[in-house]
Amino acid sequence: MKSFIPPLLSIVAFFLGSCASTTLYDPSTTNTGIRNTRTVSAEEMKLVAQEAIDDAMSNPRFREFLQKYKIEMQDEFARPVLKLAQAVNDTDDPDLNVDQLTDLLNDALFNAGYVDVTLAEGNDRTASIANSRGLAMDPNFNQQTVARQGTLIAARLVMRPKIISNLTLDGSRKDVVRTFVIDMADINTGLVMWRYTRQLGFIKKHAGIGM
């Protein structure tokens, strides 16, 4: 009987391997519905990012702020500068790549066209901006094209995203709830003008060995 086990395992492995397939799809337009109890999916982040920015840009308080800002700047085309903070990972997955949510929010903000997102302020400022501005007095560069002091524009708004996860066990079932919290505040006053909370949950049932 012992000599029969290896060939049997080989046959099973062969059939399992022959059934494997790869399906290509466009993540920007397709939802697979696949969820993992251990980590946040790219689909969840995509859904929340677009819904959040749509909600923010149509919010009455934000619209009122835009009107006052244009009057303050005496420019009907003025757009406030927004600092997008790095998304905070408050889930049970320490390796969660929250950069994806930050980037998706950045894209949605850019495409909405109501604010300008700065990369020159805060913890997320890009080093390339600072390096490019350090070219003064370098004889290899035309000094008329080098950025001058006092030209960077400080942010007027700040947006802070956060992901929270909660797991509840009930016998053979797992109830997973992810809570996405994003707020936007006026830096001048410190007042929050918009806040978005979205919960996404699913139940996964233990179907046998493993989860």
Side-chain angles (χ1 to χ4, degrees):
M1 182 67 179
K2 290 183 179 179
S3 62
F4 180 71
I5 294 177
L8 178 60
L9 293 177
S10 299
I11 294 173
V12 172
F14 172 79
F15 279 106
L16 290 177
S18 63
C19 294
S21 64
T22 300
T23 302
L24 297 177
Y25 72 99
D26 184 353
S28 65
T29 59
T30 305
N31 291 325
T32 66
I34 297 174
R35 296 292 182 265
N36 192 313
T37 60
R38 298 179 179 88
T39 190
V40 181
S41 71
E43 279 186 10
E44 291 172 281
M45 294 188 188
K46 178 190 71 173
L47 173 65
V48 167
Q50 191 57 61
E51 280 189 0
I53 299 308
D54 289 344
D55 185 79
M57 299 301 105
S58 61
N59 181 269
R61 288 190 177 183
F62 176 72
R63 291 288 192 171
E64 181 182 352
F65 168 83
L66 285 181
Q67 294 177 354
K68 292 181 179 179
Y69 182 79
K70 295 177 187 299
I71 295 174
E72 176 186 333
M73 302 302 294
Q74 298 180 350
D75 180 0
E76 61 177 318
F77 301 107
R79 288 194 298 264
V81 176
L82 181 143
K83 175 171 61 177
L84 178 59
Q86 180 69 29
V88 174
N89 176 18
D90 197 10
T91 73
D92 51 8
D93 176 12
D95 299 320
L96 178 64
N97 183 10
V98 292
D99 287 345
Q100 184 175 15
L101 177 59
T102 308
D103 290 341
L104 288 169
L105 288 169
N106 196 355
D107 290 346
L109 284 167
F110 181 81
N111 292 330
Y114 291 104
V115 300
D116 291 326
V117 181
T118 180
L119 296 177
E121 185 180 345
N123 294 331
D124 307 314
R125 65 180 180 272
T126 176
S128 60
I129 292 179
N131 293 337
S132 297
R133 296 181 64 84
L135 301 177
M137 308 307 294
D138 187 330
N140 295 306
F141 289 89
N142 182 342
Q143 293 301 301
Q144 298 300 317
T145 65
V146 175
R148 305 297 180 183
Q149 289 186 353
T151 58
L152 290 177
I153 301 176
R156 177 65 182 271
L157 299 172
V158 61
M159 179 174 286
R160 307 176 305 170
K162 179 170 64 173
I163 309 176
I164 306 167
S165 68
N166 185 59
L167 172 65
T168 303
L169 300 177
D170 179 17
S172 62
R173 298 186 306 168
K174 284 185 177 181
D175 180 14
V176 181
V177 177
R178 275 80 184 248
T179 304
F180 296 80
V181 180
I182 308 171
D183 59 32
M184 180 168 56
D186 182 348
I187 292 177
N188 278 7
T189 64
L191 298 177
V192 175
M193 69 176 66
W194 168 83
R195 184 175 176 87
Y196 172 88
T197 301
R198 179 73 153 89
Q199 289 188 309
L200 298 175
F202 63 92
I203 295 176
K204 191 167 186 178
K205 188 173 181 179
H206 183 24
I209 300 176
M211 259 320 217

